[in-house]
Amino acid sequence: MNDTAENMLDSTRQENVTRILDAAERLFRHYGYGKTTVADVARDLGMSPANIYRFFASKVEIHQAICGRMLAASYKQAYDICHLPISASERLRRFVYGQYQMTLDTMLDEQKVHEMVVVAIERDWHVIERHIDSTHELIAGVIREGIAAGEFAEQDADVASRCFGAATVTLCHPQMVAQCLAKTNRATVDELIEYSIKALK
């Protein structure tokens, strides 16, 4: 098989994978993760369940792929913000605001989506751990630049990044965001961000 034919096969496969993930995410959002079956996804796409299984071994694999896609979008947003030509403090501020807004918009827009995210977190998938590690590396880079520019105090940037993440986790962790939204005895988004940035100085 020549390269052109292989590329066409890869492209067709990716199109099918994307169609399956789009349909599954739509159904998970509408009916809930627990109530949606592979047969439901197949029916929505007008194909047989066997065809779905050519691309994904199980509903769990489909769910994991959707989770990976959400995290990739989150990382891209974080990467773009962390590389803006502005001060380190402002990049960190925009990063946390961006993650908070994405959590609200993408993961908490409906209770059914929240269920899907909670299941993913409870399964402790490696894709989530890798995302956390990659995000910590991004933030550590921003902190190093802040230290070099005299914005932040001299310190271990990796430790500072992990601590910054822990201090703002209630603004980025779907379950914590959901629990804190209606609480009046919690620090506000602005208060928590400013406190965390001040700690770096």
Side-chain angles (χ1 to χ4, degrees):
M1 186 181 293
N2 60 40
D3 289 345
T4 303
E6 284 184 6
N7 289 339
M8 286 179 66
L9 274 176
D10 287 343
S11 177
T12 301
R13 177 180 175 77
Q14 190 53 52
E15 284 176 17
N16 283 320
V17 165
T18 300
R19 284 182 64 222
I20 291 167
L21 294 181
D22 287 346
E25 186 172 351
R26 187 171 62 252
L27 293 175
F28 290 166
R29 286 176 181 272
H30 186 72
Y31 297 108
Y33 174 75
K35 293 182 179 177
T36 303
T37 66
V38 171
D40 293 329
V41 177
R43 192 178 307 111
D44 185 77
L45 291 169
M47 60 173 67
S48 68
N51 204 21
I52 301 284
Y53 288 122
R54 286 175 52 213
F55 302 95
F56 296 97
S58 64
K59 186 174 83 166
V60 171
E61 270 197 15
I62 294 173
H63 183 199
Q64 192 166 9
I66 291 171
C67 178
R69 198 162 67 164
M70 283 182 173
L71 293 176
S74 172
Y75 181 80
K76 183 183 185 309
Q77 181 193 71
Y79 181 92
D80 291 345
I81 290 172
C82 288
H83 288 83
L84 288 172
I86 53 180
S87 71
S89 295
E90 185 57 29
R91 276 180 280 166
L92 292 180
R93 191 175 286 114
R94 292 192 190 187
F95 160 76
V96 181
Y97 271 121
Q99 294 295 299
Y100 178 68
Q101 196 58 53
M102 180 172 278
T103 302
L104 288 178
D105 294 345
T106 307
M107 300 179 183
L108 299 183
D109 59 347
E110 296 175 36
Q111 187 60 36
K112 303 294 194 302
V113 182
H114 186 228
E115 176 203 350
M116 184 169 67
V117 173
V118 169
V119 170
I121 291 170
E122 287 176 347
R123 284 183 170 144
D124 196 24
W125 281 332
H126 293 308
V127 66
I128 296 174
E129 289 304 311
R130 284 198 302 271
H131 172 72
I132 292 170
D133 289 342
S134 298
T135 303
H136 280 162
E137 286 173 16
L138 275 181
I139 297 306
V142 174
I143 292 172
R144 282 190 194 95
E145 290 176 15
I147 293 169
E151 278 187 70
F152 303 144
E154 193 66 41
Q155 59 196 294
D156 185 319
D158 292 316
V159 172
S161 175
R162 291 194 293 271
C163 291
F164 184 84
T168 57
V169 69
T170 57
L171 303 179
C172 307
H173 190 293
Q175 286 167 295
M176 292 184 181
V177 171
Q179 289 170 11
C180 294
L181 270 178
K183 302 285 175 63
T184 57
N185 62 342
R186 302 290 194 273
T188 68
V189 177
D190 287 335
E191 288 168 345
L192 201 45
I193 291 174
E194 295 312 313
Y195 186 88
S196 301
I197 291 175
K198 204 172 291 181
L200 295 168
K201 299 181 177 183

